[in-house]
Amino acid sequence: VTAKVTEVVGVEVEDRPGGLSFILTKFEKACVNVDYMYAEIEGRGDKALLIMKLEPLKEAIRVLKEAAP
């Protein structure tokens, strides 16, 4: 069996129309690519948890820190 470990980031966003768009717009402006993403909304109230593979990772983390409330 072959396995590969990949660094991903967990991002919590508002579970409402436009919640995902907010962070994707920030990534687009900073030239951050989303390689893939999974979402979990069950039992999280008004939030959704996104598991994202982002490139370049350091830039993505900078963008997320700036966008944090």
Side-chain angles (χ1 to χ4, degrees):
V1 175
T2 302
K4 182 178 178 183
V5 176
T6 304
E7 288 187 306
V8 296
V9 176
V11 180
E12 200 171 60
V13 298
E14 296 290 325
D15 184 17
R16 62 169 178 73
L20 175 60
S21 175
F22 172 79
I23 196 63
L24 291 181
T25 300
K26 302 279 186 190
F27 287 152
E28 179 183 31
K29 289 179 181 174
C31 297
V32 172
N33 295 313
V34 179
D35 291 343
Y36 58 82
M37 173 180 64
Y38 301 95
E40 172 61 48
I41 58 171
E42 188 66 32
R44 301 200 66 83
D46 63 344
K47 304 283 187 192
L49 176 63
L50 307 176
I51 305 300
M52 308 174 92
K53 168 75 167 74
L54 304 165
E55 291 292 335
L57 184 57
K58 286 183 181 180
E59 180 66 9
I61 291 170
R62 183 193 67 75
V63 169
L64 289 168
K65 285 180 179 179
E66 286 183 1

PDB file of all heavy atoms in Angstrom, residues 6-13 19-25 27 33-41 48-55 64:
ATOM      1  N   THR A   6       0.054  14.866   3.022  1.00  0.00           N
ATOM      2  CA  THR A   6      -0.064  16.185   2.408  1.00  0.00           C
ATOM      3  C   THR A   6      -0.467  17.193   3.472  1.00  0.00           C
ATOM      4  O   THR A   6      -1.344  16.914   4.286  1.00  0.00           O
ATOM      5  CB  THR A   6      -1.137  16.168   1.296  1.00  0.00           C
ATOM      6  OG1 THR A   6      -0.814  15.152   0.360  1.00  0.00           O
ATOM      7  CG2 THR A   6      -1.221  17.492   0.586  1.00  0.00           C
ATOM      8  N   GLU A   7       0.157  18.363   3.469  1.00  0.00           N
ATOM      9  CA  GLU A   7      -0.236  19.421   4.393  1.00  0.00           C
ATOM     10  C   GLU A   7      -1.515  20.079   3.902  1.00  0.00           C
ATOM     11  O   GLU A   7      -1.615  20.467   2.735  1.00  0.00           O
ATOM     12  CB  GLU A   7       0.864  20.469   4.514  1.00  0.00           C
ATOM     13  CG  GLU A   7       2.075  19.994   5.277  1.00  0.00           C
ATOM     14  CD  GLU A   7       3.068  21.121   5.509  1.00  0.00           C
ATOM     15  OE1 GLU A   7       3.460  21.768   4.526  1.00  0.00           O
ATOM     16  OE2 GLU A   7       3.415  21.333   6.673  1.00  0.00           O
ATOM     17  N   VAL A   8      -2.492  20.181   4.787  1.00  0.00           N
ATOM     18  CA  VAL A   8      -3.748  20.855   4.494  1.00  0.00           C
ATOM     19  C   VAL A   8      -4.016  21.862   5.603  1.00  0.00           C
ATOM     20  O   VAL A   8      -3.371  21.842   6.644  1.00  0.00           O
ATOM     21  CB  VAL A   8      -4.925  19.863   4.356  1.00  0.00           C
ATOM     22  CG1 VAL A   8      -4.727  18.940   3.171  1.00  0.00           C
ATOM     23  CG2 VAL A   8      -5.121  19.061   5.627  1.00  0.00           C
ATOM     24  N   VAL A   9      -4.988  22.728   5.370  1.00  0.00           N
ATOM     25  CA  VAL A   9      -5.354  23.760   6.333  1.00  0.00           C
ATOM     26  C   VAL A   9      -6.842  23.621   6.625  1.00  0.00           C
ATOM     27  O   VAL A   9      -7.644  23.437   5.711  1.00  0.00           O
ATOM     28  CB  VAL A   9      -5.063  25.164   5.753  1.00  0.00           C
ATOM     29  CG1 VAL A   9      -5.527  26.253   6.694  1.00  0.00           C
ATOM     30  CG2 VAL A   9      -3.592  25.316   5.439  1.00  0.00           C
ATOM     31  N   GLY A  10      -7.214  23.735   7.901  1.00  0.00           N
ATOM     32  CA  GLY A  10      -8.619  23.779   8.281  1.00  0.00           C
ATOM     33  C   GLY A  10      -9.051  25.232   8.428  1.00  0.00           C
ATOM     34  O   GLY A  10      -8.400  26.004   9.128  1.00  0.00           O
ATOM     35  N   VAL A  11     -10.124  25.579   7.742  1.00  0.00           N
ATOM     36  CA  VAL A  11     -10.613  26.957   7.747  1.00  0.00           C
ATOM     37  C   VAL A  11     -12.087  26.941   8.119  1.00  0.00           C
ATOM     38  O   VAL A  11     -12.872  26.223   7.501  1.00  0.00           O
ATOM     39  CB  VAL A  11     -10.445  27.612   6.353  1.00  0.00           C
ATOM     40  CG1 VAL A  11     -10.947  29.046   6.375  1.00  0.00           C
ATOM     41  CG2 VAL A  11      -9.003  27.550   5.888  1.00  0.00           C
ATOM     42  N   GLU A  12     -12.459  27.720   9.117  1.00  0.00           N
ATOM     43  CA  GLU A  12     -13.861  27.826   9.499  1.00  0.00           C
ATOM     44  C   GLU A  12     -14.447  29.079   8.859  1.00  0.00           C
ATOM     45  O   GLU A  12     -13.876  30.170   8.986  1.00  0.00           O
ATOM     46  CB  GLU A  12     -13.964  27.900  11.025  1.00  0.00           C
ATOM     47  CG  GLU A  12     -15.319  27.529  11.541  1.00  0.00           C
ATOM     48  CD  GLU A  12     -15.316  27.398  13.058  1.00  0.00           C
ATOM     49  OE1 GLU A  12     -15.016  28.385  13.736  1.00  0.00           O
ATOM     50  OE2 GLU A  12     -15.607  26.295  13.534  1.00  0.00           O
ATOM     51  N   VAL A  13     -15.567  28.910   8.142  1.00  0.00           N
ATOM     52  CA  VAL A  13     -16.236  30.042   7.481  1.00  0.00           C
ATOM     53  C   VAL A  13     -17.704  30.052   7.876  1.00  0.00           C
ATOM     54  O   VAL A  13     -18.249  29.052   8.350  1.00  0.00           O
ATOM     55  CB  VAL A  13     -16.104  29.975   5.937  1.00  0.00           C
ATOM     56  CG1 VAL A  13     -14.658  30.050   5.499  1.00  0.00           C
ATOM     57  CG2 VAL A  13     -16.773  28.746   5.376  1.00  0.00           C
ATOM     58  N   GLY A  19     -20.330  32.768   2.115  1.00  0.00           N
ATOM     59  CA  GLY A  19     -19.306  32.463   3.116  1.00  0.00           C
ATOM     60  C   GLY A  19     -18.020  31.939   2.489  1.00  0.00           C
ATOM     61  O   GLY A  19     -16.925  32.358   2.847  1.00  0.00           O
ATOM     62  N   LEU A  20     -18.136  31.043   1.551  1.00  0.00           N
ATOM     63  CA  LEU A  20     -16.965  30.504   0.855  1.00  0.00           C
ATOM     64  C   LEU A  20     -16.369  31.542  -0.087  1.00  0.00           C
ATOM     65  O   LEU A  20     -15.156  31.671  -0.190  1.00  0.00           O
ATOM     66  CB  LEU A  20     -17.346  29.241   0.089  1.00  0.00           C
ATOM     67  CG  LEU A  20     -16.260  28.614  -0.780  1.00  0.00           C
ATOM     68  CD1 LEU A  20     -15.057  28.216   0.058  1.00  0.00           C
ATOM     69  CD2 LEU A  20     -16.825  27.405  -1.514  1.00  0.00           C
ATOM     70  N   SER A  21     -17.216  32.289  -0.742  1.00  0.00           N
ATOM     71  CA  SER A  21     -16.769  33.298  -1.701  1.00  0.00           C
ATOM     72  C   SER A  21     -15.839  34.321  -1.046  1.00  0.00           C
ATOM     73  O   SER A  21     -14.872  34.767  -1.666  1.00  0.00           O
ATOM     74  CB  SER A  21     -17.975  34.008  -2.309  1.00  0.00           C
ATOM     75  OG  SER A  21     -17.563  35.050  -3.153  1.00  0.00           O
ATOM     76  N   PHE A  22     -16.104  34.674   0.194  1.00  0.00           N
ATOM     77  CA  PHE A  22     -15.286  35.662   0.908  1.00  0.00           C
ATOM     78  C   PHE A  22     -13.818  35.247   0.914  1.00  0.00           C
ATOM     79  O   PHE A  22     -12.943  36.012   0.523  1.00  0.00           O
ATOM     80  CB  PHE A  22     -15.801  35.847   2.337  1.00  0.00           C
ATOM     81  CG  PHE A  22     -14.905  36.699   3.186  1.00  0.00           C
ATOM     82  CD1 PHE A  22     -14.921  38.079   3.068  1.00  0.00           C
ATOM     83  CD2 PHE A  22     -14.030  36.120   4.094  1.00  0.00           C
ATOM     84  CE1 PHE A  22     -14.085  38.875   3.842  1.00  0.00           C
ATOM     85  CE2 PHE A  22     -13.186  36.905   4.875  1.00  0.00           C
ATOM     86  CZ  PHE A  22     -13.217  38.282   4.744  1.00  0.00           C
ATOM     87  N   ILE A  23     -13.540  33.999   1.331  1.00  0.00           N
ATOM     88  CA  ILE A  23     -12.152  33.570   1.437  1.00  0.00           C
ATOM     89  C   ILE A  23     -11.551  33.259   0.071  1.00  0.00           C
ATOM     90  O   ILE A  23     -10.379  33.508  -0.175  1.00  0.00           O
ATOM     91  CB  ILE A  23     -11.997  32.393   2.433  1.00  0.00           C
ATOM     92  CG1 ILE A  23     -10.536  32.229   2.834  1.00  0.00           C
ATOM     93  CG2 ILE A  23     -12.554  31.103   1.887  1.00  0.00           C
ATOM     94  CD1 ILE A  23      -9.944  33.394   3.551  1.00  0.00           C
ATOM     95  N   LEU A  24     -12.354  32.738  -0.859  1.00  0.00           N
ATOM     96  CA  LEU A  24     -11.828  32.451  -2.194  1.00  0.00           C
ATOM     97  C   LEU A  24     -11.410  33.721  -2.920  1.00  0.00           C
ATOM     98  O   LEU A  24     -10.428  33.731  -3.656  1.00  0.00           O
ATOM     99  CB  LEU A  24     -12.848  31.664  -3.016  1.00  0.00           C
ATOM    100  CG  LEU A  24     -13.114  30.241  -2.559  1.00  0.00           C
ATOM    101  CD1 LEU A  24     -14.128  29.571  -3.487  1.00  0.00           C
ATOM    102  CD2 LEU A  24     -11.843  29.418  -2.467  1.00  0.00           C
ATOM    103  N   THR A  25     -12.133  34.807  -2.702  1.00  0.00           N
ATOM    104  CA  THR A  25     -11.765  36.090  -3.293  1.00  0.00           C
ATOM    105  C   THR A  25     -10.419  36.567  -2.752  1.00  0.00           C
ATOM    106  O   THR A  25      -9.573  37.058  -3.504  1.00  0.00           O
ATOM    107  CB  THR A  25     -12.858  37.141  -3.020  1.00  0.00           C
ATOM    108  OG1 THR A  25     -14.079  36.687  -3.597  1.00  0.00           O
ATOM    109  CG2 THR A  25     -12.492  38.490  -3.591  1.00  0.00           C
ATOM    110  N   PHE A  27      -8.020  34.625  -1.625  1.00  0.00           N
ATOM    111  CA  PHE A  27      -7.007  33.754  -2.227  1.00  0.00           C
ATOM    112  C   PHE A  27      -6.715  34.167  -3.668  1.00  0.00           C
ATOM    113  O   PHE A  27      -5.569  34.188  -4.094  1.00  0.00           O
ATOM    114  CB  PHE A  27      -7.445  32.289  -2.187  1.00  0.00           C
ATOM    115  CG  PHE A  27      -7.386  31.660  -0.821  1.00  0.00           C
ATOM    116  CD1 PHE A  27      -8.233  30.616  -0.501  1.00  0.00           C
ATOM    117  CD2 PHE A  27      -6.495  32.089   0.143  1.00  0.00           C
ATOM    118  CE1 PHE A  27      -8.180  30.010   0.737  1.00  0.00           C
ATOM    119  CE2 PHE A  27      -6.436  31.498   1.393  1.00  0.00           C
ATOM    120  CZ  PHE A  27      -7.283  30.448   1.692  1.00  0.00           C
ATOM    121  N   ASN A  33      -3.656  29.137  -4.951  1.00  0.00           N
ATOM    122  CA  ASN A  33      -4.454  28.112  -5.615  1.00  0.00           C
ATOM    123  C   ASN A  33      -5.046  27.144  -4.606  1.00  0.00           C
ATOM    124  O   ASN A  33      -4.379  26.743  -3.650  1.00  0.00           O
ATOM    125  CB  ASN A  33      -3.586  27.316  -6.595  1.00  0.00           C
ATOM    126  CG  ASN A  33      -3.079  28.174  -7.723  1.00  0.00           C
ATOM    127  OD1 ASN A  33      -3.830  28.925  -8.333  1.00  0.00           O
ATOM    128  ND2 ASN A  33      -1.800  28.062  -7.997  1.00  0.00           N
ATOM    129  N   VAL A  34      -6.294  26.738  -4.853  1.00  0.00           N
ATOM    130  CA  VAL A  34      -6.939  25.690  -4.067  1.00  0.00           C
ATOM    131  C   VAL A  34      -6.817  24.412  -4.888  1.00  0.00           C
ATOM    132  O   VAL A  34      -7.474  24.261  -5.917  1.00  0.00           O
ATOM    133  CB  VAL A  34      -8.418  26.020  -3.785  1.00  0.00           C
ATOM    134  CG1 VAL A  34      -9.066  24.889  -2.989  1.00  0.00           C
ATOM    135  CG2 VAL A  34      -8.542  27.346  -3.048  1.00  0.00           C
ATOM    136  N   ASP A  35      -5.943  23.495  -4.445  1.00  0.00           N
ATOM    137  CA  ASP A  35      -5.772  22.233  -5.168  1.00  0.00           C
ATOM    138  C   ASP A  35      -6.977  21.326  -4.959  1.00  0.00           C
ATOM    139  O   ASP A  35      -7.438  20.684  -5.894  1.00  0.00           O
ATOM    140  CB  ASP A  35      -4.498  21.521  -4.725  1.00  0.00           C
ATOM    141  CG  ASP A  35      -3.235  22.246  -5.170  1.00  0.00           C
ATOM    142  OD1 ASP A  35      -3.321  23.110  -6.071  1.00  0.00           O
ATOM    143  OD2 ASP A  35      -2.162  21.963  -4.620  1.00  0.00           O
ATOM    144  N   TYR A  36      -7.463  21.248  -3.717  1.00  0.00           N
ATOM    145  CA  TYR A  36      -8.708  20.547  -3.435  1.00  0.00           C
ATOM    146  C   TYR A  36      -9.244  21.006  -2.095  1.00  0.00           C
ATOM    147  O   TYR A  36      -8.544  21.656  -1.313  1.00  0.00           O
ATOM    148  CB  TYR A  36      -8.563  19.016  -3.491  1.00  0.00           C
ATOM    149  CG  TYR A  36      -7.548  18.415  -2.553  1.00  0.00           C
ATOM    150  CD1 TYR A  36      -7.850  18.161  -1.223  1.00  0.00           C
ATOM    151  CD2 TYR A  36      -6.285  18.064  -3.005  1.00  0.00           C
ATOM    152  CE1 TYR A  36      -6.931  17.594  -0.369  1.00  0.00           C
ATOM    153  CE2 TYR A  36      -5.351  17.487  -2.157  1.00  0.00           C
ATOM    154  CZ  TYR A  36      -5.691  17.257  -0.837  1.00  0.00           C
ATOM    155  OH  TYR A  36      -4.767  16.684   0.001  1.00  0.00           O
ATOM    156  N   MET A  37     -10.521  20.667  -1.856  1.00  0.00           N
ATOM    157  CA  MET A  37     -11.187  21.131  -0.651  1.00  0.00           C
ATOM    158  C   MET A  37     -12.303  20.166  -0.280  1.00  0.00           C
ATOM    159  O   MET A  37     -12.986  19.636  -1.156  1.00  0.00           O
ATOM    160  CB  MET A  37     -11.772  22.518  -0.914  1.00  0.00           C
ATOM    161  CG  MET A  37     -12.642  23.066   0.176  1.00  0.00           C
ATOM    162  SD  MET A  37     -13.275  24.708  -0.226  1.00  0.00           S
ATOM    163  CE  MET A  37     -14.278  24.365  -1.642  1.00  0.00           C
ATOM    164  N   TYR A  38     -12.466  19.934   1.008  1.00  0.00           N
ATOM    165  CA  TYR A  38     -13.581  19.166   1.548  1.00  0.00           C
ATOM    166  C   TYR A  38     -14.294  20.055   2.549  1.00  0.00           C
ATOM    167  O   TYR A  38     -13.660  20.850   3.235  1.00  0.00           O
ATOM    168  CB  TYR A  38     -13.097  17.908   2.275  1.00  0.00           C
ATOM    169  CG  TYR A  38     -12.297  16.975   1.417  1.00  0.00           C
ATOM    170  CD1 TYR A  38     -10.902  17.030   1.402  1.00  0.00           C
ATOM    171  CD2 TYR A  38     -12.924  16.047   0.599  1.00  0.00           C
ATOM    172  CE1 TYR A  38     -10.155  16.182   0.613  1.00  0.00           C
ATOM    173  CE2 TYR A  38     -12.186  15.183  -0.198  1.00  0.00           C
ATOM    174  CZ  TYR A  38     -10.804  15.257  -0.175  1.00  0.00           C
ATOM    175  OH  TYR A  38     -10.071  14.410  -0.962  1.00  0.00           O
ATOM    176  N   ALA A  39     -15.605  19.897   2.663  1.00  0.00           N
ATOM    177  CA  ALA A  39     -16.374  20.711   3.606  1.00  0.00           C
ATOM    178  C   ALA A  39     -17.132  19.810   4.580  1.00  0.00           C
ATOM    179  O   ALA A  39     -17.611  18.744   4.208  1.00  0.00           O
ATOM    180  CB  ALA A  39     -17.356  21.609   2.859  1.00  0.00           C
ATOM    181  N   GLU A  40     -17.235  20.277   5.816  1.00  0.00           N
ATOM    182  CA  GLU A  40     -17.996  19.594   6.863  1.00  0.00           C
ATOM    183  C   GLU A  40     -18.906  20.628   7.507  1.00  0.00           C
ATOM    184  O   GLU A  40     -18.419  21.639   8.030  1.00  0.00           O
ATOM    185  CB  GLU A  40     -17.054  18.996   7.905  1.00  0.00           C
ATOM    186  CG  GLU A  40     -17.740  18.434   9.117  1.00  0.00           C
ATOM    187  CD  GLU A  40     -18.692  17.299   8.803  1.00  0.00           C
ATOM    188  OE1 GLU A  40     -18.318  16.372   8.059  1.00  0.00           O
ATOM    189  OE2 GLU A  40     -19.826  17.347   9.302  1.00  0.00           O
ATOM    190  N   ILE A  41     -20.207  20.393   7.454  1.00  0.00           N
ATOM    191  CA  ILE A  41     -21.141  21.359   8.036  1.00  0.00           C
ATOM    192  C   ILE A  41     -22.007  20.745   9.124  1.00  0.00           C
ATOM    193  O   ILE A  41     -22.613  21.459   9.901  1.00  0.00           O
ATOM    194  CB  ILE A  41     -22.039  22.006   6.955  1.00  0.00           C
ATOM    195  CG1 ILE A  41     -22.827  20.957   6.199  1.00  0.00           C
ATOM    196  CG2 ILE A  41     -21.223  22.863   6.021  1.00  0.00           C
ATOM    197  CD1 ILE A  41     -23.876  21.519   5.269  1.00  0.00           C
ATOM    198  N   ALA A  48     -19.018  26.431   8.838  1.00  0.00           N
ATOM    199  CA  ALA A  48     -18.631  25.272   8.039  1.00  0.00           C
ATOM    200  C   ALA A  48     -17.124  25.127   8.174  1.00  0.00           C
ATOM    201  O   ALA A  48     -16.390  26.117   8.192  1.00  0.00           O
ATOM    202  CB  ALA A  48     -19.015  25.468   6.576  1.00  0.00           C
ATOM    203  N   LEU A  49     -16.646  23.901   8.287  1.00  0.00           N
ATOM    204  CA  LEU A  49     -15.216  23.636   8.356  1.00  0.00           C
ATOM    205  C   LEU A  49     -14.753  23.176   6.985  1.00  0.00           C
ATOM    206  O   LEU A  49     -15.273  22.201   6.435  1.00  0.00           O
ATOM    207  CB  LEU A  49     -14.907  22.555   9.396  1.00  0.00           C
ATOM    208  CG  LEU A  49     -13.448  22.132   9.485  1.00  0.00           C
ATOM    209  CD1 LEU A  49     -12.569  23.302   9.914  1.00  0.00           C
ATOM    210  CD2 LEU A  49     -13.293  20.956  10.429  1.00  0.00           C
ATOM    211  N   LEU A  50     -13.795  23.899   6.420  1.00  0.00           N
ATOM    212  CA  LEU A  50     -13.230  23.555   5.123  1.00  0.00           C
ATOM    213  C   LEU A  50     -11.832  22.997   5.342  1.00  0.00           C
ATOM    214  O   LEU A  50     -11.022  23.601   6.042  1.00  0.00           O
ATOM    215  CB  LEU A  50     -13.147  24.789   4.229  1.00  0.00           C
ATOM    216  CG  LEU A  50     -14.428  25.592   4.049  1.00  0.00           C
ATOM    217  CD1 LEU A  50     -14.151  26.836   3.223  1.00  0.00           C
ATOM    218  CD2 LEU A  50     -15.505  24.739   3.412  1.00  0.00           C
ATOM    219  N   ILE A  51     -11.549  21.854   4.751  1.00  0.00           N
ATOM    220  CA  ILE A  51     -10.209  21.284   4.752  1.00  0.00           C
ATOM    221  C   ILE A  51      -9.668  21.555   3.356  1.00  0.00           C
ATOM    222  O   ILE A  51     -10.228  21.081   2.364  1.00  0.00           O
ATOM    223  CB  ILE A  51     -10.225  19.772   5.048  1.00  0.00           C
ATOM    224  CG1 ILE A  51     -10.949  19.499   6.368  1.00  0.00           C
ATOM    225  CG2 ILE A  51      -8.808  19.216   5.035  1.00  0.00           C
ATOM    226  CD1 ILE A  51     -10.341  20.170   7.578  1.00  0.00           C
ATOM    227  N   MET A  52      -8.588  22.339   3.261  1.00  0.00           N
ATOM    228  CA  MET A  52      -8.117  22.829   1.973  1.00  0.00           C
ATOM    229  C   MET A  52      -6.641  22.529   1.757  1.00  0.00           C
ATOM    230  O   MET A  52      -5.830  22.723   2.657  1.00  0.00           O
ATOM    231  CB  MET A  52      -8.334  24.343   1.876  1.00  0.00           C
ATOM    232  CG  MET A  52      -9.738  24.783   2.192  1.00  0.00           C
ATOM    233  SD  MET A  52      -9.915  26.576   2.227  1.00  0.00           S
ATOM    234  CE  MET A  52     -10.381  26.841   0.539  1.00  0.00           C
ATOM    235  N   LYS A  53      -6.311  22.104   0.556  1.00  0.00           N
ATOM    236  CA  LYS A  53      -4.915  21.958   0.104  1.00  0.00           C
ATOM    237  C   LYS A  53      -4.627  23.214  -0.703  1.00  0.00           C
ATOM    238  O   LYS A  53      -5.250  23.444  -1.753  1.00  0.00           O
ATOM    239  CB  LYS A  53      -4.771  20.701  -0.746  1.00  0.00           C
ATOM    240  CG  LYS A  53      -3.459  20.590  -1.508  1.00  0.00           C
ATOM    241  CD  LYS A  53      -2.309  20.220  -0.609  1.00  0.00           C
ATOM    242  CE  LYS A  53      -1.073  19.800  -1.382  1.00  0.00           C
ATOM    243  NZ  LYS A  53      -0.345  20.846  -2.023  1.00  0.00           N
ATOM    244  N   LEU A  54      -3.720  24.043  -0.210  1.00  0.00           N
ATOM    245  CA  LEU A  54      -3.469  25.362  -0.788  1.00  0.00           C
ATOM    246  C   LEU A  54      -2.016  25.507  -1.213  1.00  0.00           C
ATOM    247  O   LEU A  54      -1.115  25.004  -0.548  1.00  0.00           O
ATOM    248  CB  LEU A  54      -3.806  26.443   0.239  1.00  0.00           C
ATOM    249  CG  LEU A  54      -5.227  26.405   0.799  1.00  0.00           C
ATOM    250  CD1 LEU A  54      -5.327  27.275   2.040  1.00  0.00           C
ATOM    251  CD2 LEU A  54      -6.224  26.829  -0.250  1.00  0.00           C
ATOM    252  N   GLU A  55      -1.794  26.224  -2.308  1.00  0.00           N
ATOM    253  CA  GLU A  55      -0.440  26.504  -2.803  1.00  0.00           C
ATOM    254  C   GLU A  55      -0.363  27.953  -3.252  1.00  0.00           C
ATOM    255  O   GLU A  55      -1.247  28.391  -3.980  1.00  0.00           O
ATOM    256  CB  GLU A  55      -0.097  25.596  -3.987  1.00  0.00           C
ATOM    257  CG  GLU A  55       0.071  24.144  -3.618  1.00  0.00           C
ATOM    258  CD  GLU A  55       1.291  23.886  -2.762  1.00  0.00           C
ATOM    259  OE1 GLU A  55       2.257  24.677  -2.828  1.00  0.00           O
ATOM    260  OE2 GLU A  55       1.269  22.912  -2.007  1.00  0.00           O
ATOM    261  N   LEU A  64      -5.039  34.055   5.339  1.00  0.00           N
ATOM    262  CA  LEU A  64      -6.004  33.641   6.335  1.00  0.00           C
ATOM    263  C   LEU A  64      -5.862  34.444   7.632  1.00  0.00           C
ATOM    264  O   LEU A  64      -6.856  34.849   8.229  1.00  0.00           O
ATOM    265  CB  LEU A  64      -5.880  32.146   6.632  1.00  0.00           C
ATOM    266  CG  LEU A  64      -6.351  31.237   5.506  1.00  0.00           C
ATOM    267  CD1 LEU A  64      -5.916  29.801   5.772  1.00  0.00           C
ATOM    268  CD2 LEU A  64      -7.845  31.327   5.315  1.00  0.00           C
TER     269      LEU A  64
END
